[in-house]
Amino acid sequence: MNTIPFFDIGQMNATVSDEIHAAARRALDSGWYILGRECEGFERNLAAQLGAGHVAGCNSGTDALRLSLLAAGVGHGHEVITVSNTAIPTVAAICSTGAVPVFVDVDTDTWLMDAKRVAEALTVRTKAVMAVHLYGNMVDMSRLNSVLCEAGRGDVAVIEDVAQAQGSALAGRQAGTIGRFGAFSFYPSKNIGALGDGGAVCCAGEADSGAVRMLRNYGQRDRYNAEMAGGINSRLDEVQAAILSAKLPHLNEWNSRKAIIMNRYREELRGLPVIFQEVTDGCRPAWHLCVIALENGTVRGGLQEHLRSRGIQTLIHYPIPCHRQPAFASAQSTDLYITEKLAGRILSLPLNPVLSDAEQSRVIASIRDFF
């Protein structure tokens, strides 16, 4: 029996192999490998695809978050509100600035940041809110911005963590273009993946974009002229930028295929004791992961083993919420009942553009057989 991988990066890249090789060859032959024409070209291409903002490439999605925080002036003594049901890098980026993460609970249905909880968590030390667009679904940014305005906190920087939602849109606006900053990850398994690490920051304003560009390059405006303190080395290299430019035109095609797969999961698992994430009103999700929540979390281990025995790989995103990670013991938390409940019940099913109809049929049949 052939194994159905959770995500087959090799097969995915094979669909555009010729374009990837040509792009890499072009970059290699150029003789210029840091902050050159390929990076500039990808930044323009991504900005055009987003339809708004100013884009600056960087070394990783984690650095995209960190650079956004630094450009917003976040540092020691500040608090950054976010959620705990996210990948560790989200919180690691906050801690890297010296700021304190403040975890708020999520909405029961969308599993995303609850704007009401954000309002309750605001203090005089709050400098930023990091809104995580999880699995492809988007935080209700309009509601979040309204909450901050109603609280008289227009000074708080809203940063979108778009690592899992590239191509998603809310009320016609692309993920990453609604907040002051949008942080993108190009980790190989993302909606657009490099063949290594890579990231980018989309800035609403030109001044913020200039700050990010300096901060990613030691704080230099130009060579040997450092203007900003706190600068780091975080530059999207030319080879990865060229590869990303080659893959970017396929984003809508790949996201459309995943939407078809996701809709089929929802339709054919209906009636089973599983729950799907409710899509935020006005959101057109570009699904990164297919995550179900089991009505009875005690069966998760058994279901995983059942699927494993049938050659089907699954994962959990994420089994240990960030507020229970030893590395973030100094973080602050409000009541996280829904976050805790979800952590014990969620399971991620195979979802990628190269998943065949026959493979998905096998996954669905195996889940139905288990129940």
Side-chain angles (χ1 to χ4, degrees):
M1 180 186 301
N2 293 331
T3 297
I4 299 176
F6 182 76
F7 188 84
D8 192 334
I9 295 174
Q11 186 181 355
M12 176 75 180
N13 287 327
T15 65
V16 289
S17 177
D18 290 345
E19 293 162 81
I20 288 173
H21 281 88
R25 173 70 66 183
R26 184 178 68 242
L28 291 170
D29 289 348
S30 73
W32 191 290
Y33 307 117
I34 299 290
L35 294 182
R37 286 179 295 181
E38 295 294 346
C39 182
E40 292 171 358
F42 175 68
E43 290 170 346
R44 288 194 301 270
N45 293 338
L46 180 55
Q49 188 269 331
L50 293 173
H54 309 266
V55 172
C58 61
N59 182 62
S60 67
T62 309
D63 275 356
L65 294 169
R66 184 183 181 192
L67 289 165
S68 299
L69 291 162
L70 292 172
V74 174
H76 290 276
H78 294 141
E79 295 174 354
V80 178
I81 298 173
T82 191
V83 291
S84 182
N85 65 332
T86 183
I88 286 172
T90 303
V91 187
I94 296 171
C95 293
S96 73
T97 68
V100 176
V102 177
F103 296 119
V104 296
D105 210 359
V106 296
D107 179 80
T108 305
D109 301 318
T110 65
W111 310 348
L112 302 173
M113 175 178 279
D114 187 333
K116 179 182 176 182
R117 303 293 184 183
V118 172
E120 295 168 353
L122 289 168
T123 73
V124 294
R125 294 177 296 280
T126 305
K127 189 71 173 178
V129 174
M130 191 169 287
V132 181
H133 300 317
L134 194 67
Y135 310 144
N137 198 10
M138 288 182 66
V139 173
D140 187 339
M141 298 296 292
S142 177
R143 176 63 181 140
L144 175 59
N145 288 326
S146 293
V147 161
L148 293 174
C149 288
E150 290 165 7
R153 295 305 306 272
D155 60 308
V156 172
V158 176
I159 300 167
E160 298 176 73
D161 184 340
V162 198
Q164 297 187 9
Q166 187 167 1
S168 296
L170 184 65
R173 299 181 64 182
Q174 291 282 312
T177 69
I178 305 173
R180 181 173 166 185
F181 301 92
F184 292 80
S185 170
F186 307 122
Y187 184 78
S189 64
K190 301 301 184 187
N191 288 2
I192 288 291
L195 302 191
D197 271 320
V201 181
C202 179
C203 305
E206 192 169 350
D208 281 335
S209 177
V212 168
R213 289 174 184 280
M214 283 191 281
L215 287 165
R216 73 178 177 181
N217 193 31
Y218 312 113
Q220 298 179 129
R221 180 175 295 278
D222 48 48
R223 199 168 187 181
Y224 309 128
N225 180 22
E227 292 189 13
M228 292 191 70
I232 60 176
N233 177 352
S234 182
R235 303 170 301 206
L236 179 62
D237 75 67
E238 290 289 278
V239 175
Q240 298 300 344
I243 291 168
L244 289 167
S245 283
K247 297 178 79 172
L248 187 60
H250 298 279
L251 176 64
N252 290 338
E253 170 195 346
W254 290 335
N255 284 344
S256 295
R257 172 59 185 161
K258 285 191 291 184
I260 291 171
I261 295 170
M262 189 71 175
N263 289 337
R264 186 181 175 200
Y265 274 135
R266 286 176 178 270
E267 181 64 29
E268 298 195 26
L269 295 180
R270 184 178 298 172
L272 298 182
V274 300
I275 301 166
F276 284 88
Q277 183 183 27
E278 187 173 299
V279 177
T280 301
D281 286 346
C283 177
R284 187 199 69 221
W287 294 111
H288 172 58
L289 297 169
C290 174
V291 179
I292 59 173
L294 301 165
E295 290 183 5
N296 180 359
T298 63
V299 306
R300 181 170 67 183
L303 176 57
Q304 273 199 292
E305 180 55 38
H306 173 78
L307 294 174
R308 187 182 302 113
S309 71
R310 297 194 174 195
I312 300 167
Q313 295 180 352
T314 59
L315 293 174
I316 300 172
H317 296 86
Y318 300 91
I320 305 174
C322 287
H323 70 281
R324 291 203 272 116
Q325 300 283 352
F328 308 133
S330 61
Q332 299 175 19
S333 298
T334 58
D335 176 25
L336 301 175
Y337 171 77
I338 299 170
T339 298
E340 291 275 4
K341 183 178 178 181
L342 283 169
R345 299 185 180 198
I346 52 176
L347 183 66
S348 301
L349 306 178
L351 175 68
N352 63 81
V354 294
L355 184 73
S356 70
D357 290 344
E359 287 173 327
Q360 187 178 16
S361 293
R362 199 168 116 202
V363 175
I364 291 169
S366 296
I367 295 172
R368 296 193 70 87
D369 285 349
F370 176 81
F371 286 108

